[in-house]
Each structure stands twice: as C-alpha cells, then as structure tokens.
Amino acid sequence: MKQRPSFPARLDSGKPQVAPKTLLGATRVVAAPSSRVKPVTLVSPTGVGLESSTIRARMVKKLAEQGIQDAVVLDAMNRVERHRFVDSALVNQAYEDTSLPIGLGQTISKPNVVARMIALLREAPGLQGEPLLGRVLEIGTGCGYQAAVLACVAREVYSIERLRGLHDKARENLRTLRLPNLHVIFGDGMVGYAQGAPYSAIISAAGGESVPQAWIDQLAMGGRLVAPTHTSTGQQALVVIDKTPQGLQQTLLEAVNFVPLKSGIA
Ligand code: SAH
C-alpha cells in the first residue's frame, strides 16, 4: 500500500476533535518587500507547521529528483503550504504528486506540473538575468495554490477564474497569506486580462483547442507563455510560445491532462 504522509495522523492522535487543516493553518505566510528574490517568509507561531514542513521538504526533494533544478521554484514550492488549498478530507494527500479535486469538477494540478510550468516560464530566453518574473497572468485560479507559488517568483501576479465558486474559495484560501503582489480576478480568462498587460509570462491551468490570440497580444516582447493545448492528434500537450523580435517561437512538449478551457463565466 502507498505510504501516506504522517502529519495529519499525528495531529489527529493528539487532538481528535480538530480538523488538521485548521491546526496546520496556524502557520502563516507573511509577505516581504516584492523586490527581493524570496518575497515570503514562513512564520510558525505555534510550531505545528513543523510537521507539514517536513513533508513539504520531502515533496520538494522528490521534485528535484524528478528533474526540477530551479532553486527559486523549489524554494517557492517549499514555502507555499499546499494542504491549505485542499479540502480537509484530502489534507493527507496534499503533498503527494497527484492532482486533487477542488470542487465544481476542477482539479489542482500535480506539484510536479506546477513546478515544471513555472520553471519553463523562468527559462525564457527573453527573461534571463531577472531574479523575479515581472507581471504574470494565470488563467484558471482554481483553489489559488499555483497563484500563491507564482506570487513567490514574480513581481506581480494577475490570476483569473471563470467560476464564481472557485474564485471565492481561492480568495478565502489566500486571505491569510497576505500576498500584496497577487490579484485574483473573476472573469473569462479566454480574453486574457488587458488591464494588467503586457505580461512577461502567461500560464494557463486549463487546456483549449488552441491558444487564444488575446494571450499572444497581451504577452510582452521577450515574454513566454506556457499552456496545455490540443495537438493535431487530439491529445493535450504543453506548448511554450516565446514572443521574440523575430516572431513567435512555438515548442511542443510532453503530453498533459488538464481540465478544459471554457469561455464565459459561471
Ligand atoms: N491553478 C489552479 C488549477 C485549477 S484547474 C490551482 O492551483 O488550483 C483550472 C481552472 O481553470 C479551473 O478552475 C477552471 O474553472 C478554470 N478555467 C477554465 N477556463 C477558464 C477561463 N476561460 N477563464 C478563467 N478560468 C478558466
């Protein structure tokens, strides 16, 4: 049988009446000046966060073994408490490399996919030499987890979600993290978010038939877009698009399995 992380079990045995998420939620993320490479610091006033930090460190070690080499990305994955973003019934799976349901038929991406996509953004030839990504647009806030990770590696993050229920949930999940450089928006990300453009990076957590023209238009020169999209064989794969003075450069990468990109709000 698969080994489960032990921290909720230990918490349960000590305090059976309290949901693990509530207890672990006592660990706070406090924002630091956004010009620094490490914009957030973990504060654990009660010490209960130590249990999840051990398991998170194990997840990060596994990500490194799986080929994620970017220390800034690994550090961000270590800072954001994924268990805060999933339902309490799923807390003991929060640090496994698996996607999890977040309600309304949507899923939070696997940690490996989140780390991989953000590392790809940071590898953009046009963005080299920058300690942080500049303005980033995320399509598909979902539960807000990836948005929080992005806020650790970018100066400004705009994250848009089309489902009101998830937008509200993300707001609630993110409230105590106090990330002043993260803006969550309710709207149809199919048309991007012109108010924040141009973006040095655009990342989509939902896959469409093709990459909407609005995203390309809102991408800054030298910027990079990473999104799941359908290929000619009908499969879904990650696509990287770089906006260069010579034109758009598109690279098709590995097959992925994201929820569909849909238009309109609901
Ligand atoms: N990054 C999220 C992943 C959520 S799953 C997380 O960390 O939880 C992808 C999300 O994209 C879903 O919540 C879905 O509702 C949303 N989505 C799909 N099409 C969209 C659109 N056109 N605009 C905004 N969000 C969209």
Side-chain angles (χ1 to χ4, degrees):
M1 228 184 88
K2 219 169 174 188
Q3 192 75 34
R4 294 276 184 227
S6 59
F7 70 94
R10 262 183 277 162
L11 285 169
D12 284 349
S13 60
K15 302 205 167 76
Q17 299 310 316
V18 185
K21 195 179 176 193
T22 315
L23 264 177
L24 291 161
T27 300
R28 219 154 47 92
V29 175
V30 175
S34 60
S35 57
R36 302 204 357 228
V37 178
K38 293 178 178 178
V40 295
T41 320
L42 280 175
V43 178
S44 182
T46 62
V48 288
L50 290 179
E51 308 246 10
S52 81
S53 74
T54 307
I55 291 154
R56 204 160 41 255
R58 208 179 299 155
M59 174 194 81
V60 169
K61 186 165 172 275
K62 205 180 282 176
L63 290 174
E65 287 163 4
Q66 289 168 336
I68 306 293
Q69 290 169 348
D70 188 329
V72 172
V73 174
L74 291 174
D75 185 60
M77 298 294 291
N78 199 27
R79 280 158 183 272
V80 180
E81 299 173 318
R82 196 170 184 257
H83 66 265
R84 282 171 169 276
F85 294 86
V86 298
D87 287 344
S88 48
L90 298 172
V91 159
N92 61 351
Q93 285 169 268
Y95 296 105
E96 291 180 11
D97 198 22
T98 179
S99 56
L100 293 170
I102 53 173
L104 301 177
Q106 310 302 317
T107 53
I108 179 174
S109 308
K110 286 175 172 205
N112 182 278
V113 171
V114 172
R116 162 95 171 124
M117 289 176 81
I118 298 176
L120 281 168
L121 290 179
R122 284 176 38 83
E123 284 165 19
L127 304 176
Q128 291 309 301
E130 301 286 333
L132 288 174
L133 292 170
R135 273 205 300 276
V136 177
L137 173 65
E138 178 192 40
I139 295 97
T141 314
C143 66
Y145 171 71
Q146 180 169 274
V149 179
L150 285 167
C152 295
V153 304
R155 268 192 283 276
E156 216 71 46
V157 179
Y158 295 83
S159 180
I160 187 162
E161 171 59 53
R162 66 177 288 274
L163 296 177
R164 171 66 79 180
L166 285 176
H167 167 78
D168 290 344
K169 193 185 241 186
R171 266 196 189 285
E172 181 57 27
N173 289 341
L174 291 162
R175 199 168 42 85
T176 52
L177 304 192
R178 296 195 190 95
L179 298 165
N181 60 332
L182 172 57
H183 315 281
V184 290
I185 300 133
F186 173 57
D188 181 3
M190 201 88 128
V191 295
Y193 184 65
Q195 290 90 322
Y199 299 100
S200 58
I202 297 181
I203 181 168
S204 177
E209 289 305 313
S210 59
V211 172
Q213 183 60 38
W215 301 358
I216 306 282
D217 295 343
Q218 291 172 20
L219 193 61
M221 186 56 71
R224 173 172 278 195
L225 181 159
V226 178
T229 193
H230 281 99
T231 64
S232 48
T233 60
Q235 304 272 32
Q236 210 186 47
L238 273 190
V239 67
V240 169
I241 298 177
D242 290 316
K243 201 179 219 181
T244 78
Q246 292 76 42
L248 297 176
Q249 273 167 17
Q250 183 168 314
T251 316
L252 214 50
L253 299 171
E254 67 268 21
V256 283
N257 190 14
F258 280 78
V259 295
L261 179 72
K262 293 189 176 169
S263 60
I265 52 172

